[in-house]
Amino acid sequence: MSKEKIILGIDPGTTIMGFGLIRVVGKKAHFMQLNELQLKKYNDHYIKLKLIFERTVELIDTYHPDEIAIEAPFFGKNVQSMLKLGRAQGVAMAAGLSREVPITEYSPKKIKMAITGNGNASKEQVAKMLQSLLQLKELPKNLDSTDGLAAAVCHFYNQGKVSIGKGYTGWSAFVKQNQNKIG
């Protein structure tokens, strides 16, 4: 009997948070869902963070993922954008940690490389490859949800490898692995 698990992938953002879920049965990944949380209409950054937290908890409580894969913020030139993106990621991680779901973060380049074989692939290339790999009938208008799905598939591909990014199993593990960044 093959072990089954669910992986939730999240592409955090303060305008759109994309997410996707896959079910892993044995050595095969099966598409479950992809969607996005639209945050454009909210002006208050703190309200957006609250909604990201609540939606992530809702996804966890609904689908009971065994693991979460999250896209790490990329380094950009706009410090304010980086700060907002980092907060969105942190809130999504906090939601997972609050439900004691192990989290692994992956750089955008690593996710693109895992899906397409090219770390510089476009969002469209990633989406098309996912469509082919998971037999998706159609792609969404916004590709943030496919980015979330890509994080989940990347995590599936990287299981069992020695270095799969930073993983956290709970608050104590997070604190222990980040002591040099705290206080």
Side-chain angles (χ1 to χ4, degrees), residues 2-148:
S2 57
K3 189 177 179 325
E4 191 175 302
K5 80 165 126 181
I6 294 172
I7 302 171
L8 167 62
I10 298 174
D11 176 26
T14 55
T15 306
I16 300 173
M17 178 185 90
F19 57 89
L21 289 131
I22 59 172
R23 179 183 313 278
V24 177
V25 182
K27 295 183 178 187
K28 185 142 174 61
H30 303 275
F31 172 74
M32 288 178 65
Q33 188 206 33
L34 77 160
N35 210 331
E36 56 197 31
L37 172 63
Q38 287 285 341
L39 299 161
K40 289 177 190 160
K41 63 183 174 187
Y42 303 98
N43 292 324
D44 187 328
H45 184 65
Y46 300 108
I47 295 293
K48 291 179 179 188
L49 295 176
K50 177 180 178 278
L51 293 169
I52 291 167
F53 183 87
E54 289 173 349
R55 182 64 174 130
T56 304
V57 165
E58 181 185 331
L59 288 166
I60 293 166
D61 290 348
T62 302
Y63 294 99
H64 308 287
D66 298 285
E67 298 169 5
I68 295 173
I70 192 164
E71 186 173 309
F74 57 90
F75 296 100
K77 292 185 175 145
N78 186 328
V79 177
Q80 285 302 314
S81 294
M82 285 286 304
L83 181 61
K84 287 179 180 178
L85 192 57
R87 286 177 177 167
Q89 182 202 29
V91 166
M93 291 172 77
L97 293 169
S98 76
R99 293 295 196 259
E100 298 184 3
V101 180
I103 300 166
T104 305
E105 54 181 319
Y106 295 94
S107 71
K109 246 186 191 340
K110 183 155 186 154
I111 292 171
K112 291 173 181 180
M113 180 62 98
I115 304 304
T116 68
N118 175 2
N120 296 313
S122 68
K123 280 179 172 279
E124 293 77 15
Q125 289 170 317
V126 170
K128 283 287 189 193
M129 185 60 84
L130 286 170
Q131 185 175 28
S132 174
L133 291 168
L134 299 170
Q135 287 91 45
L136 304 177
K137 288 179 177 56
E138 58 184 77
L139 291 172
K141 186 176 67 149
N142 295 319
L143 299 180
D144 298 272
S145 54
T146 52
D147 285 351

